[in-house]
Amino acid sequence: MNRLSEHTVADSGTVMEAQAWLCALPLPVPLNLGAISYKTRDYVVLRLTTSDGYTGHAVGYTRGTPLLEASKVVCEHLADLPTAPEAAHTALRKRLAPGWGAFARAASLVDIALWDIRAQRQGRPLAATLGARTADAPLMAVAGYFSDTRSVDELVEETIRFVEDGYTTLKLILPGHDRRADLHLLDTMRAAHPDRIAIAVDFHGAFDSVSDALGYCEDIHRRGVRFIEDPFPSLDWHNVADFASQSPSPVASGEDLVNLTGFDDLLGAGVQYLRVDVTASGGYTTALAALQAAEQRSARVAPHVWPHFHAPLVAASPSVAMIEVIPDHVGADPLWRLLSEPAPIHAGTWLTPTEPGLALPLDMEAVAHHSVDSWSSSARPAAAPIPTGGVS
């Protein structure tokens, strides 16, 4: 699936320079997701440059973690490691084993950047490096953000725009605290769309016990949702497993796991939609193994947000059902402020780039403008200044 024989031949050189920026982008109003609250969306942008002249990039949410600092620690290990992402990932996991949970997001960004470099060396898009299937990706648009400051009518009106734009799967965020209000929102949204539009729901770990979650979801099951996501955080996989074993609706989970073992646990527990996130769980190296595990269990994969990074996975496995996206106009994911091109979305489908590598259209002047902190390290005699020019 990974074309490993081709990869071994293509990888060469060493990482000569690593740079990272922390960008805190304001939100229109505070974003509350259960107990989690964000006043800004904080991103770390990572850039690796190799001795043979290739540059790879990655971006990840901090999600309240010291990701910038962690990325510096992880990148200090790269000077004597190969640029083959699988080998680098294995070495980093061994070296950082006692604190892997703290370093997994940073190591994920390193892995993404190294896969970007690998595909550039091969002279083909990352999707073609990961697999041979058609790479354009069906999308699932997320609805229900800012529900504490917007009316039901406003939330539903937004989904009408989604459907007009061609999305056929919607994921609705439900707070999970007022069953009557949640059912009213779900029913109003369902009534606004034809039956061909699938609706999933996401609780962002709202429940404290399996019995509470099962009781709360009784009426939701009857409405035929595509899946129920995160009744509990994915790290609390025992509760996820208990819920999944008793839920008439498919269950989705996994976006915050830190290794393949966690995905195996969820699949073994009966989770039918694996929420892989290459920016959090070990990059493409872990994601490819998770796709293979999902195929073996006849499960589906619905990667967590950011089609720029997840759409290439469609080429690797038929298990990928859809890629999640937060459309730019929603305001809950202002990553677009760091990019030089609009999202390549047409009729609810992500048109995977054809340029070599990841082809992430980062605007480095925007990155520098929004940066609130940064670091740079180099194996060269003198450290080069952080560039602010555009990236093709």
Side-chain angles (χ1 to χ4, degrees):
M1 183 167 69
N2 299 27
R3 305 183 183 182
L4 292 179
S5 59
E6 295 180 22
H7 295 169
T8 302
V9 173
D11 295 315
S12 60
T14 58
V15 174
M16 294 294 292
E17 188 167 29
Q19 302 161 293
W21 299 262
L22 173 62
C23 299
L25 302 184
L27 294 163
V29 295
L31 175 59
N32 300 308
L33 301 171
I36 302 168
S37 182
Y38 300 113
K39 293 183 179 178
T40 59
R41 279 288 201 186
D42 297 343
Y43 306 88
V44 166
V45 177
L46 179 70
R47 179 175 184 167
L48 301 180
T49 303
T50 61
S51 57
D52 54 343
Y54 290 95
T55 300
H57 295 89
V59 182
Y61 285 141
T62 67
R63 293 215 158 189
T65 68
L67 181 54
L68 183 71
E69 295 84 351
S71 66
K72 185 174 183 180
V73 174
V74 170
C75 287
E76 287 172 351
H77 292 269
L78 296 181
D80 64 339
L81 292 182
T83 59
E86 303 94 339
H89 178 80
T90 298
L92 289 172
R93 283 204 62 189
K94 290 180 177 179
R95 294 184 184 186
L96 300 169
W100 181 252
F103 293 114
R105 286 182 179 271
S108 298
L109 300 190
V110 168
D111 186 87
I112 292 167
L114 291 179
W115 277 95
D116 183 11
I117 289 168
R118 169 180 279 176
Q120 291 179 56
R121 285 193 181 118
Q122 294 177 352
R124 58 188 182 185
L126 179 59
T129 295
L130 297 181
R133 300 178 68 250
T134 301
D136 288 346
L139 297 173
M140 172 178 68
V142 188
Y145 283 111
F146 310 114
S147 62
D148 50 345
T149 60
R150 295 198 292 171
S151 68
V152 169
D153 288 345
E154 289 174 313
L155 296 173
V156 172
E157 184 66 30
E158 182 175 74
T159 67
I160 291 173
R161 176 174 176 179
F162 291 166
V163 172
E164 290 174 346
D165 288 342
Y167 298 99
T168 57
T169 300
L170 309 176
K171 191 184 81 171
L172 175 61
I173 297 170
L174 294 179
H177 305 304
D178 184 333
R179 179 161 45 186
R180 181 175 296 179
D182 283 353
L183 290 174
H184 173 62
L185 175 57
L186 177 57
D187 287 343
T188 306
M189 185 171 293
R190 177 72 278 170
H193 302 297
D195 290 342
R196 64 180 178 83
I197 303 301
I199 298 178
V201 298
D202 183 357
F203 284 108
H204 283 100
F207 302 110
D208 295 320
S209 73
V210 174
S211 60
D212 287 346
L214 289 169
Y216 198 98
C217 292
E218 282 181 356
D219 293 320
I220 290 176
H221 297 313
R222 299 188 185 103
R223 282 151 172 82
V225 295
R226 183 159 189 177
F227 60 72
I228 294 175
E229 181 177 352
D230 286 347
F232 307 94
S234 51
L235 289 173
D236 190 5
W237 72 269
H238 288 281
N239 277 347
V240 175
D242 287 347
F243 181 87
S245 69
Q246 302 177 67
S247 172
S249 303
V251 175
S253 187
E255 68 187 51
D256 293 317
L257 296 178
V258 298
N259 55 35
L260 180 61
T261 302
F263 291 122
D264 285 336
D265 288 338
L266 290 180
L267 290 168
V271 166
Q272 293 172 264
Y273 283 87
L274 206 59
R275 298 280 284 142
V276 171
D277 188 335
V278 299
T279 73
S281 303
Y284 294 109
T285 297
T286 298
L288 291 170
L291 295 185
Q292 191 171 45
E295 288 181 29
Q296 293 170 352
R297 297 273 189 172
S298 298
R300 309 303 301 275
V301 178
H304 173 238
V305 85
W306 292 8
H308 287 94
F309 300 104
H310 287 123
L313 293 177
V314 174
S317 171
S319 66
V320 181
M322 81 286 280
I323 309 293
E324 184 178 65
V325 65
I326 305 171
D328 292 348
H329 59 81
V330 173
D333 183 18
L335 177 65
W336 59 270
R337 298 181 192 174
L338 303 180
L339 305 178
S340 60
E341 300 174 7
I345 297 174
H346 176 71
T349 300
W350 188 271
L351 307 180
T352 301
T354 57
E355 299 89 340
L358 180 59
L360 181 68
L362 276 171
D363 181 341
M364 295 308 295
E365 290 184 356
V367 170
H369 173 75
H370 290 288
S371 175
V372 296
D373 199 359
S374 63
W375 61 261
S376 177
S377 64
S378 175
R380 299 167 184 168
I386 296 175
T388 58
V391 174
S392 60

